[in-house]
Amino acid sequence: MSVIDRDATAEPALPADDGRSEAYRAFLRAVRVRRWMIWVSQALLLVLFLVLWEIAPRAHWVNPMLTSYPSAIVSAFDRLVLSAGNEGNIFHHTWVTLVEAVVGFVVSMILGLAVAVALWWSTFLYKVIDPFLVVANALPKIALVPIFYIWLGDTTSIYAMAIAIAVFITILMIFNGFQEIDPNKVKLVRTFGATRAQILAKVVLPGSVPTMIAAMKINVGLALVGVIVGEFQSSKAGLGYLIVYGSQIYKMDLVMTSVSILAVMSTVMYLAIAAFERRIQRRRQ
Amino acid sequence: MTAKVELRDISLRYFTTESDTEALRSVSLNVGAGEFIAIVGQSGCGKSTLLSLVAGILKPTGGAVLVDGRPVTGPMRACGYMLQQDYLFEWRTVLENVLIGPEIQGLDMKAARERGVQLLRRYGLGEFIDYYPHQLSGGMRQRAALARTLCTEPDILLLDEPFSALDFQTRLALADEVSEILRRENKTVILVTHDISEAVSMADRVIVMSRRPGRIKAEHLITFAGAGGTRPKPFKARHEPEFGRYFDTIWGELEIHVGH
Ligand SMILES: Nc1ncnc2c1ncn2[C@@H]1O[C@H](COP(=O)(O)OP(=O)(O)OP(=O)(O)O)[C@@H](O)[C@H]1O
Ligand SMILES: [Mg+2]
């Protein structure tokens, strides 16, 4: 994923061939061929993986009960789309998980940003809160799952889990970004008589946009982890629920289908943020 | 001549948990309206501190700073401060950077925009107003920073080694341009520099500061007889016969010892 992404940002659209020297054209051709080779190799690797996964259980190199196989996933998916089994509709489960993850992500970002701003505003507050924040961040939040379940019930506890996992690292990352702003940039606006609110609006926030995007990229994954873990404990719907349910009745095709959908979901969410990042970068050029 | 800027027996100490640094000790200085003075002194002698006091972003521990006869209590529109580097914001275009001062001070943005465009045109950046800072050369960036400083129309310019980040040739050319611009508009200027030649070639008066704690050690009125009463441009001033004499005197006063 990150490899594709880095490639796309590091090598912007290549210029047209016309009017360039022969050597330069050869160079551009080589770059293009190389990029194409990378894509093909990635596609081949994926196909190879799927083929092996299909063949290995069928040839009984591995136990099909344990691994399922791609064609079984496709038929499980079909069944789930038609709501033919008693597991419910796959779109419903996907939607439930997606909404939980997006809400968890958005709330963690807003909350994290708000707390980071408060800590920036009051150094005293920061000094007081800092050790607690570090401990909260280091604590394995998964340990809180049963507590949240008892306190908050089966739906709210899932959101709480997503937020608990994502929010502390967001606060720390964004606040760190604030602190790395060149103090001379702050001094510059102070010479114009900027108030603290103006320093925040004109220097600190716009200067931290790259950090915020980095925090978003990490957050997307973490919010999804929180949601799935929360669903494991308590839910009646969602992909996490399907995974637990499928494993309890030994239907690995159900489990693998849910995991595949999760993979697609996290990829799409990550790509959305990467696209957002590119839009912002383009504005700055 | 009434003083535009007056420092009355200023002292300043920086307190940190590790140390108590006396940066300035009883500094008194008058700068007349339209005067161009330069302050030279070794690194750490309190030159930037002195400018920050005049700009109102630091409060003196003792004494008073007056601008136009009134005590300075905070940053004022009358003062424009140009820092050691340009510190252009990479997320703003050149013009947007120039407009940051008027934005913060809540000035009429339409008039400010016109002023900004005009300033940038005058400094040869007319085609670059919508570019981002990373697309400019060092000299262009420094000119954009000058336009940013002037866009709030200050009467007093505080320049903290504004050319130190530039290569030698750009530095000389820009010194000519900037002193021309500031003299034409009759600004009061306090220029801080390490560079004795820069100070002597640009200023009407050079103030020499001692090592920390910074005090005023000597003052020199800079005049060039050969130019027939008018002030030669900095580049030409470097070839006047008096130049070497001023340079040598100030060099001696700075007590620069190599390999101490
Ligand atoms: N915020 C601060 N806290 C503590 N000490 C400081 C602070 N700022 C400056 N100082 C000290 O005060 C003294 C004067 O600093 P200042 O920046 O004014 O020197 P300067 O003459 O501008 O030096 P340079 O030529 O290197 O820019 C230095 O010794 C410096 O270490
Ligand atoms: Mg300095």
Side-chain angles (χ1 to χ4, degrees), chain B residues 187-199:
Chain B
K187 304 283 188 196
T188 305
V189 183
I190 305 180
L191 167 77
V192 155
T193 177
H194 276 120
D195 183 337
I196 304 171
S197 319
E198 198 169 274

Side-chain angles (χ1 to χ4, degrees), chain A residues 182 184-185 187-194 198 202-203 206-207 283-285, chain B residues 52 57 75 81 83 87 89-92 100-101 103-105 132 134 148 152:
Chain A
D182 189 338
N184 284 306
K185 287 183 173 162
K187 182 175 174 186
L188 178 91
V189 292
R190 289 225 302 134
T191 68
F192 289 116
Q198 282 176 320
K202 306 274 180 207
V203 187
R283 249 198 49 218
R284 288 182 178 202
Q285 273 158 25
Chain B
S52 298
I57 58 176
Y81 194 162
L83 304 177
Y87 300 115
F89 295 165
E90 63 272 17
W91 58 87
R92 284 173 170 247
I100 184 121
E103 260 174 49
I104 287 169
Q105 297 175 352
Y132 283 86
H134 70 92
R148 179 182 59 195
T152 53

Side-chain angles (χ1 to χ4, degrees), chain B residues 9-22:
Chain B
D9 199 24
I10 289 290
S11 62
L12 189 120
R13 315 173 75 98
Y14 285 108
F15 299 124
T16 66
T17 44
E18 289 82 34
S19 64
D20 169 3
T21 313
E22 186 178 18

Side-chain angles (χ1 to χ4, degrees), chain B residues 151-209:
Chain B
C151 198
T152 53
E153 304 185 293
D155 317 323
I156 303 163
L157 264 286
L158 309 170
L159 310 179
D160 194 351
E161 307 191 36
F163 313 121
S164 60
L166 303 174
D167 64 88
F168 189 62
Q169 274 128 16
T170 315
R171 206 175 159 143
L172 290 186
L174 210 57
D176 266 17
E177 271 179 48
V178 168
S179 68
E180 174 88 3
I181 290 162
L182 299 180
R183 280 177 194 283
R184 187 172 353 105
E185 304 192 358
N186 205 29
K187 304 283 188 196
T188 305
V189 183
I190 305 180
L191 167 77
V192 155
T193 177
H194 276 120
D195 183 337
I196 304 171
S197 319
E198 198 169 274
V200 173
S201 67
M202 289 179 82
D204 302 321
R205 187 151 57 107
V206 175
I207 315 284
V208 182
M209 286 182 66

Side-chain angles (χ1 to χ4, degrees), chain A residues 86-226:
Chain A
N86 49 7
E87 303 95 348
N89 185 292
I90 190 67
F91 293 120
H92 173 64
H93 290 295
T94 307
W95 177 249
V96 166
T97 298
L98 183 68
V99 168
E100 287 165 349
V102 169
V103 169
F105 166 76
V106 171
V107 172
S108 320
M109 275 315 289
I110 293 173
L111 201 64
L113 184 60
V115 174
V117 167
L119 297 182
W120 175 83
W121 198 280
S122 162
T123 317
F124 182 78
L125 184 66
Y126 167 65
K127 296 278 182 201
V128 173
I129 300 286
D130 183 42
F132 300 102
L133 212 55
V134 170
V135 171
N137 186 48
L139 182 81
K141 258 69 72 181
I142 294 181
L144 303 175
V145 169
I147 303 176
F148 283 171
Y149 180 60
I150 292 167
W151 286 356
L152 302 167
D154 54 6
T155 17
T156 318
S157 69
I158 295 171
Y159 292 111
M161 202 57 227
I163 294 164
I165 286 192
V167 79
F168 296 106
I169 190 73
T170 311
I171 295 172
L172 291 174
M173 272 185 81
I174 295 182
F175 183 72
N176 241 331
F178 287 176
Q179 286 191 312
E180 272 163 26
I181 298 275
D182 189 338
N184 284 306
K185 287 183 173 162
V186 175
K187 182 175 174 186
L188 178 91
V189 292
R190 289 225 302 134
T191 68
F192 289 116
T195 60
R196 207 150 169 76
Q198 282 176 320
I199 293 172
L200 182 69
K202 306 274 180 207
V203 187
V204 173
L205 288 180
S208 307
V209 166
T211 321
M212 286 185 223
I213 289 177
M216 284 166 90
K217 284 184 176 171
I218 290 178
N219 244 345
V220 159
L222 289 179
L224 209 50
V225 169

